[in-house]
Amino acid sequence: MAGRSRKLREARISMTLTPRELELLRDGTFADPEYGDRFSESRGRCVAGFTASELDDILGHVAAAANHAPRAKLREELDALYERLEALEPGRADSDDAF
């Protein structure tokens, strides 16, 4: 069982963000700057690969930023980003519908 869980944690997850969502991740959270630097732009979308544990870390930073956002609009944007990224988590029933 431990081997299976470990493989899920090491699997790469493709993440696609809009330029605004990437800006929120980079400038609106305390997530590791390396995460934002990993993205490359293709046809107006920003794409990068992450492990499940990195995705979990990003989700924590986005949630914290949303909970402490000084403006309602920013909180709404961060909440929407969180929902989109949460759908990418391995084992989620609706993860196929994420993007």
Side-chain angles (χ1 to χ4, degrees):
M1 189 76 156
R4 176 184 157 93
S5 152
R6 187 172 167 196
K7 285 183 181 180
L8 281 177
R9 294 306 248 181
E10 295 172 355
R12 298 299 280 184
I13 299 164
S14 179
M15 185 185 298
T16 304
L17 301 179
T18 65
R20 174 62 182 152
E21 290 169 332
L22 180 55
E23 178 185 348
L24 286 171
L25 178 64
R26 284 182 171 159
D27 302 333
T29 72
F30 289 112
D32 187 334
E34 188 272 331
Y35 294 153
D37 295 342
R38 199 178 298 180
F39 283 87
S40 61
E41 189 170 341
S42 175
R43 298 182 217 179
R45 304 294 277 179
C46 305
V47 181
F50 296 91
T51 65
S53 61
E54 290 170 330
L55 174 58
D56 188 54
D57 186 44
I58 291 168
L59 284 168
H61 287 290
V62 172
N67 288 337
H68 298 283
R71 296 181 325 275
K73 175 144 176 57
L74 178 59
R75 183 175 43 253
E76 289 172 9
E77 287 181 297
L78 289 163
D79 284 342
L81 176 59
Y82 181 90
E83 288 177 18
R84 284 178 33 87
L85 297 180
E86 183 181 40
L88 296 175
E89 285 190 298
R92 287 193 46 95
D94 58 346
S95 63
D96 291 339
D97 301 337
F99 297 96

